[in-house]
Structure formats: C-alpha cells, structure tokens
Amino acid sequence: MSLYLGAACPRAAARQLSAVSRSFSTSPAILSNAVPPESPSYIRLPTPPQSDEKKLPRVRGHLPVPREIFSREEGDRKIRPDYLHKTAPYPTNPRRPKNDAQRWKKEMASNRRDNLEVGLKELWDRRARRDTARDARVSRKFEEHNAAAAAPEREDDRLTRSTVLDSIMDTKVYPDANRFSNNARSKSKVLALEQTKREARRDALMELYINASNFIVTENELKAEIDTIFSEDFFKKQGQAVGRYGPAENTWDIWGKPPTISNMLETSAGTSTKVMDFYESEYDRSVKRQKRIAEEFTGGKME
C-alpha cells in the first residue's frame, strides 16, 4: 500500500498512517466476556450445597393466619364418624321428596356430608404425610450431625492445623505448692496492718486527750483568742518569745519553712546557715529530742 505524505493534506496522511499501524498491531483483542483478576468470579468455585427443604410457593397479597384444624390434644377426632354425625346430622324424620326442588335439596345435603368427610380425611392425610416427612428429615439431620461430630479428624485438617502446646490444652487447676506459706505471709501482713491502724488510732486519741486542755469551749475564750491572734503585734511577740528580735511578719519568719532532710542533717551537724538555727542552742535541740523520745515511749503528743 503506497502512502503519499504531501504538505497539502497532512491530516489525511496522518489518518492513513494510523490506519496502517492499527492493521499491523499484534496486541490481542479484549474479549467482552473476560473476567478481571479482581473479580470474585475469577476463580470458579463449586456451589455449596443448599437446604433441601421444599418451601411452599409464595402467595401474593395478605392472607389470614391459617387456623389449626387438627389440634394436638384432639388428634384425629374430626375424622371419626361420631364427629361427622354431630357436624352434619341426618334428618330425624326422613321423607320422600315430593317434587324436584326437594329432591335437589336432598342431593345437595348428601353432597355436603360426603364432601365434609372426604375433605377432613384428605386434610388429615396431608398433615400426616407432612409430619412424617419432617420427622424423617429431622432424624436424618440429627444422625448426620452426630456422625460428623463423632468422625475422626481428617488428614488434611491434621496436617494444616496450627501447633498447640499440651500445656495450653491442660486446663486443670493445680493447687499451689506454696499456698500455706503464702497464707501465713498474708495473715502476718493483715495483722501488722491492723496493729498499725490500732496504734494510729490510739495515738490520735492520746493527742486529742492532751490537746483537750487547750480547747475553746466558751464565747469569751473565742473572743480573747481572736483578739490575741489577729492583733497587729502578734508575730512580733511570738518572735520575741522564741528569741527572735528581728522583723517578723508571718509564721515563717518565726518558725521558718518546713525542714528538709538536708536541713535536718545540717542542723544535727551544726553547719546550718539558717538564722533560727543560729539562735537555737544545744539545750533547745536536746529538749526537742527528749520530747520525741517521750512521745515514742508514751504513745502520745507531748507539749
């Protein structure tokens, strides 16, 4: 096939060239029924077995709930002759029909009795067949399930199952070998805790008893204490009482901040740089130590 690529019609030449290239293409054509790999139908699997229960055909519309014709308490009472005789009794004084109308009514009454008897028997037979089929299906399913549960493990399941340790499968609860020593240890801990609580309660009661001598019980004592504490020179008097003659404006200026471990070590070693420790003598420190020792011996707070 000859091509003429002239400058006069370059678009026509390009179309001819593309047509030639498409005619010689080696790429396969995509089939319309090809299934891509991401499709669930890419790997064809057998259809799993479904239930073999035969369901009744669907009836369109709203149907009333069918009543139970044969109750389980009565059984086959409605197909017995006495029930049929009571439901559609024969005339007590039968007479021969005199005309065609009476003859026709008699035939219709006889047909109704026959139809009632045949219909009840057919309904009873249909129910019996359905119950028999259901019982057989249930029994078969029960036997299949029991057989499947009692069947030995398949070889492919045994080869592909994960490893489970025997210690994990052993779910028996073994008694603790150290249970008696653990119980004794727990008992001693509980007794020590109870003893600590009793000691703390006794110390609190002793401290309350000692401090009860300074309790304010009357309004006059309360007014006097308020006037004393909220006076302008209260902290100055407190500082003079403990030997502090410098300016004192709050309780920290008098007794200082709560001591830390390093402060207590410096105080005991005599290397503290606090002004309060500088004014405190060995006698004062000895008195504090004796108070702490007395509190440990007596179990109460010493003033």
Side-chain angles (χ1 to χ4, degrees), residues 280-290:
E280 189 177 19
S281 62
E282 184 63 28
Y283 171 78
D284 299 329
R285 288 192 290 270
S286 178
V287 169
K288 290 182 180 180
R289 285 196 299 269
Q290 291 177 8

Side-chain angles (χ1 to χ4, degrees), residues 34-237:
V35 180
E38 62 270 12
S39 174
S41 302
Y42 186 74
I43 300 177
R44 298 185 179 277
L45 299 176
T47 304
Q50 303 295 328
S51 176
D52 56 351
E53 180 183 2
K54 295 182 180 179
K55 299 182 179 179
L56 298 176
R58 180 180 177 184
V59 180
R60 301 285 182 176
H62 298 279
L63 296 177
V65 179
R67 63 186 183 90
E68 188 177 9
I69 300 176
F70 303 99
S71 61
R72 299 189 179 277
E73 292 79 7
E74 296 180 352
D76 59 346
R77 184 180 70 87
K78 293 184 178 181
I79 63 174
R80 297 173 185 172
D82 55 348
Y83 175 81
L84 297 175
H85 180 70
K86 291 179 181 180
T87 305
Y90 288 92
T92 56
N93 49 354
R95 292 176 298 178
R96 295 183 61 182
K98 298 180 179 180
N99 49 32
D100 295 340
Q102 293 181 358
R103 191 180 300 106
W104 176 79
K105 290 182 180 179
K106 184 176 182 180
E107 292 177 358
M108 291 294 102
S110 178
N111 290 337
R112 284 195 297 270
R113 294 188 189 95
D114 296 341
N115 293 338
L116 176 63
E117 181 179 1
V118 173
L120 289 176
K121 289 182 178 179
E122 289 294 333
L123 290 175
W124 176 257
D125 294 340
R126 186 178 68 176
R127 173 181 171 176
R129 289 194 301 270
R130 185 174 298 177
D131 292 345
T132 303
R134 185 186 67 249
D135 295 341
R137 182 173 62 254
V138 171
S139 301
R140 179 173 55 83
K141 290 290 184 180
F142 180 76
E143 294 175 358
E144 291 178 358
H145 292 169
N146 285 346
E153 187 179 14
R154 297 190 308 178
E155 189 66 15
D156 54 347
D157 292 340
R158 185 184 67 82
L159 296 176
T160 57
R161 70 165 180 248
S162 58
T163 302
V164 181
L165 301 178
D166 295 337
S167 58
I168 298 178
M169 299 300 295
D170 187 7
T171 58
K172 182 181 178 181
V173 179
Y174 295 93
D176 188 7
N178 302 325
R179 58 186 181 277
F180 297 107
S181 59
N182 293 338
N183 292 341
R185 192 183 308 109
S186 300
K187 183 179 179 180
S188 60
K189 287 183 179 180
V190 172
L191 293 177
L193 181 60
E194 293 294 333
Q195 183 65 22
T196 304
K197 291 181 179 179
R198 283 195 296 269
E199 292 290 339
R201 185 172 182 273
R202 185 166 55 188
D203 294 344
L205 290 175
M206 181 60 68
E207 184 176 355
L208 180 63
Y209 174 74
I210 294 173
N211 293 333
S213 60
N214 299 328
F215 283 176
I216 299 173
V217 294
T218 62
E219 294 185 1
N220 295 330
E221 293 179 357
L222 178 60
K223 292 179 181 179
E225 187 68 19
I226 291 175
D227 294 339
T228 302
I229 293 176
F230 288 95
S231 61
E232 296 181 356
D233 55 349
F234 173 75
F235 291 107
K236 183 178 181 180
K237 292 179 180 179

